[in-house]
Amino acid sequence: MRVRTVVGTMPRQVRVIMSVLVVTAALLVPLLAVPTPTSRAAVEAAGPRATYRLSVVTANIDGAERGRGGDKLGTVQRVLRGSDPDVVMLQEVCWKHFRRFIDANRAWIGPGETWRDHFRFQKLRHHPGCASGKGTQRHGLVLASRHRLSGLTTHRLPNPRSRTPHRFQVMCANVAVRGTLVAFAQDAVRACTTQLRAGRGRASGAGPARQAQAVAVRRVLAPVVERDRAAVVLGGDFNAVPQKGTMSQLYRLSRHGWLTNRRGLFFEADQTGAYASRPAGRAAGLEQIVCRLAPRVCRWGEPTHRSRGQARKLDYVFFGVNRAQPAATTGLLGTQQHLGGDVVRSPSATHEVYLGWADLALDLS
């Protein structure tokens, strides 16, 4: 039986009503968008969701190095005032700087709450550069949020061939994001921060150590992403440029920008850059050429670390592929970016402050 289209013969009033309904549906769908879950069990368990733009600030403040911590904290606070991020991740933080950070953001602490509901510190080692008036030398990671934190966990990372007592961990917590018009589940977001081992050259053994640590981080977070339990955000100082095999443990993108790396579970915030400034001393590679010619995602981003005349990207904000989208979409309202990242210069000549964001599909309560 042939089916004929008769829209063109409809009365004008009916056509207008249908047009309004189509536009309304197009506006509502992004608000309730649900990325394709990664398993059948996830499909069956998926409940109602809404899109939320989650923003994250990460910075290695070099707290124990030549007094840089104070300068970095000042830049972090400037970014916080201008962007009001949901989550803050800091690395190489002295306890004295952590206390200063709490004092600067006490407005986050609501009635009936304590500072531990919004600020968490994980000591990784004692460092003489962190000594304060009371002799406190604690040095480690910070995870903080203007939303309430819960479900804190820490996972130790391997450190083969280590010559120092420096420990490595990934610290995670649930973030109780508060929406303007909707109520999200208390565990809709799982935020994690870490720092991988620094060092260059074969003699240091740092490369294989970072690789093992990145594998361990992926294993910790894989159950959350693959079973679609929450929107995962992972940030910190990974001490490796995007093209290294270490980062292939995390990036869903292959080294040349294709969505073919099945090991990787994450999209990075700044992966739409067009190589405006490549690392010093690097020739134009295949990825640079491709990303300049095609408006598609790339496994690179603006440099976040500057030292000895070199500019490199070492700091990242990753979002789980189960709740994030890799690039822009075009609809009735025009082109909409779903990921973004920006680097803010600080007085220090090393790590900059990095702000990343993504549109995530979060569970409703």
Side-chain angles (χ1 to χ4, degrees):
M1 179 178 65
R2 178 178 298 177
V3 179
R4 299 173 59 189
T5 302
V6 294
V7 174
T9 63
M10 290 183 180
R12 180 177 181 277
Q13 295 87 343
V14 175
R15 293 201 303 270
V16 171
I17 292 174
M18 289 187 67
S19 299
V20 171
L21 290 175
V22 169
V23 172
T24 303
L27 294 175
L28 289 177
V29 167
L31 297 177
L32 299 175
V34 181
T36 303
T38 55
S39 69
R40 184 172 181 177
V43 172
E44 295 174 352
R49 298 174 183 172
T51 298
Y52 180 87
R53 179 160 291 187
L54 188 88
S55 58
V56 181
V57 166
T58 184
N60 180 327
I61 71 168
D62 294 322
E65 303 295 331
R66 296 185 291 278
R68 290 174 180 159
D71 289 341
K72 288 288 186 67
L73 280 181
T75 306
V76 169
Q77 288 303 130
R78 178 160 54 88
V79 174
L80 265 58
R81 288 193 296 270
S83 61
D84 195 25
D86 297 283
V87 180
V88 181
M89 303 174 177
L90 305 177
Q91 304 83 45
E92 294 196 33
V93 185
C94 294
W95 180 259
K96 60 184 178 183
H97 295 127
F98 175 55
R99 299 301 303 181
R100 192 182 306 173
F101 179 71
I102 293 175
D103 290 340
N105 298 286
R106 284 195 174 274
W108 292 351
I109 305 173
E113 298 178 336
T114 70
W115 62 268
R116 289 183 177 84
D117 291 316
H118 296 269
F119 307 89
R120 292 303 183 107
F121 180 91
Q122 177 60 40
K123 186 189 76 173
L124 298 181
R125 63 170 170 166
H126 289 283
H127 197 302
C130 289
S132 62
K134 297 181 180 179
T136 303
Q137 298 182 0
R138 283 174 284 182
H139 183 265
L141 303 171
V142 167
L143 183 61
S145 176
R146 59 189 175 90
H147 310 292
R148 191 163 187 163
L149 301 176
S150 64
L152 183 76
T153 60
T154 57
H155 307 269
R156 190 161 186 172
L157 304 180
N159 190 20
R161 296 180 56 190
S162 174
R163 299 178 182 177
T164 70
H166 194 168
R167 296 185 299 164
F168 293 87
Q169 296 191 13
V170 56
M171 176 170 58
C172 301
N174 298 329
V175 183
V177 173
R178 296 187 295 272
T180 304
L181 301 177
V182 295
F184 294 107
Q186 296 294 301
D187 57 354
V189 175
R190 185 72 174 166
C192 303
T193 186
T194 192
Q195 180 183 17
L196 304 189
R197 182 168 156 180
R200 304 176 69 181
R202 292 186 178 181
S204 71
R210 280 194 296 271
Q211 178 83 0
Q213 290 170 352
V215 169
V217 170
R218 189 190 69 218
R219 286 175 178 168
V220 168
L221 299 178
V224 185
V225 177
E226 292 177 344
R227 298 173 191 173
D228 201 28
R229 294 177 177 174
V232 176
V233 54
L234 167 68
D237 173 12
F238 291 80
N239 276 306
V241 296
Q243 291 300 86
K244 288 292 185 180
T246 296
M247 305 314 296
S248 292
Q249 301 297 328
L250 303 170
Y251 270 103
R252 187 55 174 265
L253 298 177
S254 67
R255 297 187 187 190
H256 300 302
W258 302 108
L259 289 166
T260 56
N261 179 27
R262 296 300 177 181
R263 286 177 300 172
L265 300 173
F266 301 95
F267 300 128
E268 211 277 325
D270 190 10
Q271 61 180 32
T272 56
Y275 259 81
S277 59
R278 64 179 184 268
R282 296 290 183 105
L286 174 62
E287 182 185 357
Q288 179 179 347
I289 296 171
V290 170
C291 291
R292 280 180 169 170
L293 293 178
R296 65 179 180 82
V297 291
C298 312
R299 215 172 95 171
W300 202 268
E302 188 177 357
T304 65
H305 181 274
R306 303 173 191 274
S307 178
R308 299 177 182 178
Q310 283 194 326
R312 300 178 295 166
K313 180 174 175 62
L314 300 182
D315 304 270
Y316 300 79
V317 177
F318 288 105
F319 299 95
V321 298
N322 60 318
R323 304 296 181 95
Q325 300 182 57
T329 58
T330 301
L332 294 176
L333 300 180
T335 301
Q336 182 180 3
Q337 295 288 341
H338 298 293
L339 284 169
D342 193 24
V343 176
V344 181
R345 296 295 302 270
S346 66
S348 170
T350 54
H351 292 270
E352 316 291 3
V353 178
Y354 178 40
L355 171 66
W357 57 267
D359 293 332
L360 303 178
L362 303 186
D363 294 334
L364 298 176
S365 62

